[in-house]
């Protein structure tokens, strides 16, 4: 998903900044948005933070230069993943990804996509887990973007417990016994925000009493390997889905060339 968004935003920038007319840019963006339910909005911003083209709404008078995703894309000159926000118009939890566009060494603008976090929850639901298992996607601030099972008391927009926020640090896959909101003790493997896809904490946990009653220190390494494999599968599902992103990428590529 992250890699696909990066490619999509790159082509969106080509459409907007390589001599294509504004009408062509807006048409291409609207076509992509109409076919992809995971996207709530797509837009291209100028270097001043104002819209050049976008869908489903377009207002060149709105200044988005103070938004975190814009400021970080400009400062870092690379693809960035933002934070959870609630859409001003849609009132739906979203996360923005942004990519700066550099022409002849000069920043000319930033393209942005807003993801519908409900779509991410559906993707997690498609990953098979053993009884008592749970998987989640959390942003770098510790806010839940999606969780499977998606049930109270943990829902999108909630934050990691303070005792578990150490999972946000570092860049290596971790393994530990962790107690969640419900008091359930799980053995959890995670990929922190410092690891690709940067900006996201991906985790898979298995309930200790139900799934690991016989686990001892002697076979802890086997447990690590199994959970690491599950985290890798989760990372793959977040990165991959390339079959889902080629349609919009080809649409934008055709617009850029035409």
């Amino acid at each position: 998903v992250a890699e696909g968004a990066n490619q999509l935003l790159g082509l969106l920038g080509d459409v907007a900044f390589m001599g294509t007319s504004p009408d062509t840019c807006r048409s291409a963006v609207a076509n992509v948005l109409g076919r992809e339910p995971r996207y709530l909005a797509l837009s291209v911003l100028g270097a001043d933070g104002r819209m050049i083209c976008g869908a489903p709404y377009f207002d060149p008078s709105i200044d988005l230069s103070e938004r975190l995703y814009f400021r970080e894309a400009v400062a870092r000159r690379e693809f960035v993943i933002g934070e959870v926000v609630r859409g001003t118009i849609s009132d739906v939890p979203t996360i923005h990804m942004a990519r700066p566009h550099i022409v002849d060494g000069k920043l000319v603008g930033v393209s942005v996509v807003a993801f519908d976090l409900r779509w991410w929850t559906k993707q997690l639901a498609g990953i098979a887990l053993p009884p008592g298992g749970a998987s989640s996607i959390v942003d770098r601030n510790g806010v839940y973007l999606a969780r499977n099972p998606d049930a109270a008391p943990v829902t999108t927009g909630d934050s990691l417990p303070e005792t578990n926020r150490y999972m946000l640090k570092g860049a290596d896959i971790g393994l530990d016994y962790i107690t969640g909101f419900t008091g359930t003790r799980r053995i959890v493997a995670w990929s922190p925000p410092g690891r690709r896809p940067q900006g996201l904490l991906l985790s898979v946990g298995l309930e200790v009493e139900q799934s690991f009653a016989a686990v001892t220190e002697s076979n802890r390494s086997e447990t690590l390997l199994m959970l690491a494999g599950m985290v890798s599968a989760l990372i793959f599902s977040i990165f991959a889905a390339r079959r889902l992103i080629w349609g919009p990428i080809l649409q934008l590529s055709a617009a850029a060339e035409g």
Side-chain angles (χ1 to χ4, degrees):
V1 173
E3 184 177 347
N6 190 12
Q7 294 181 46
L8 179 64
L9 293 176
L11 282 170
L12 182 56
D14 289 344
V15 171
F17 297 115
M18 298 302 177
T20 306
S21 71
D23 287 342
T24 299
C25 177
R26 292 168 197 159
S27 176
V29 168
N31 287 338
V32 170
L33 202 61
R35 293 183 52 183
E36 297 296 322
R38 58 191 159 149
Y39 302 145
L40 284 175
L42 274 169
S43 58
V44 179
L45 312 178
D48 60 356
R50 298 184 185 276
M51 272 193 194
I52 294 173
C53 72
Y57 44 84
F58 172 68
D59 185 349
S61 68
I62 296 177
D63 183 358
L64 299 175
S65 60
E66 291 303 313
R67 297 296 177 93
L68 178 66
Y69 56 79
F70 181 87
R71 289 188 285 108
E72 290 204 340
V74 169
R76 293 164 53 181
R77 300 288 180 106
E78 64 182 14
F79 174 77
V80 299
I81 299 175
E83 302 173 324
V84 178
V85 297
R86 186 168 287 275
T88 303
I89 296 176
S90 67
D91 195 35
V92 171
T94 65
I95 189 168
H96 291 78
M97 300 184 187
R99 173 171 171 161
H101 299 285
I102 314 296
V103 176
D104 295 330
K106 180 181 179 181
L107 176 79
V108 294
V110 175
S111 52
V112 183
V113 60
F115 276 87
D116 185 342
L117 296 184
R118 297 170 299 183
W119 182 86
W120 283 26
T121 298
K122 291 179 181 178
Q123 301 312 300
L124 279 190
I127 299 176
L129 294 171
S135 59
S136 64
I137 306 173
V138 176
D139 77 2
R140 57 186 167 179
N141 293 319
V143 177
Y144 279 94
L145 307 182
R147 188 176 185 273
N148 178 31
D150 184 29
V154 184
T155 58
T156 298
D158 287 339
S159 296
L160 276 175
E162 286 297 325
T163 54
N164 298 342
R165 294 183 70 85
Y166 65 92
M167 298 166 66
L168 297 170
K169 300 177 180 179
D172 296 324
I173 287 179
L175 177 72
D176 203 355
Y177 291 97
I178 291 175
T179 300
F181 284 95
T182 63
T184 301
R185 191 165 180 255
R186 287 188 169 91
I187 184 167
V188 177
W190 70 89
S191 173
R195 189 181 185 89
R196 294 188 70 199
Q198 289 193 342
L200 298 176
L201 166 66
L202 311 177
S203 69
V204 175
L206 300 179
E207 190 173 334
V208 174
E209 292 184 2
Q210 188 165 353
S211 303
F212 286 92
V215 169
T216 64
E217 288 299 319
S218 63
N219 57 17
R220 183 180 173 89
S221 61
E222 295 179 10
T223 302
L224 173 60
L225 288 174
M226 183 180 72
L227 279 171
M230 295 177 70
V231 170
S232 295
L234 179 57
I235 292 172
F236 177 79
S237 71
I238 297 302
F239 261 122
R242 286 183 172 85
R243 65 185 185 281
L244 296 175
I245 57 118
W246 278 116
I249 284 178
L250 290 175
Q251 286 185 58
L252 287 177
S253 181
E257 293 173 359

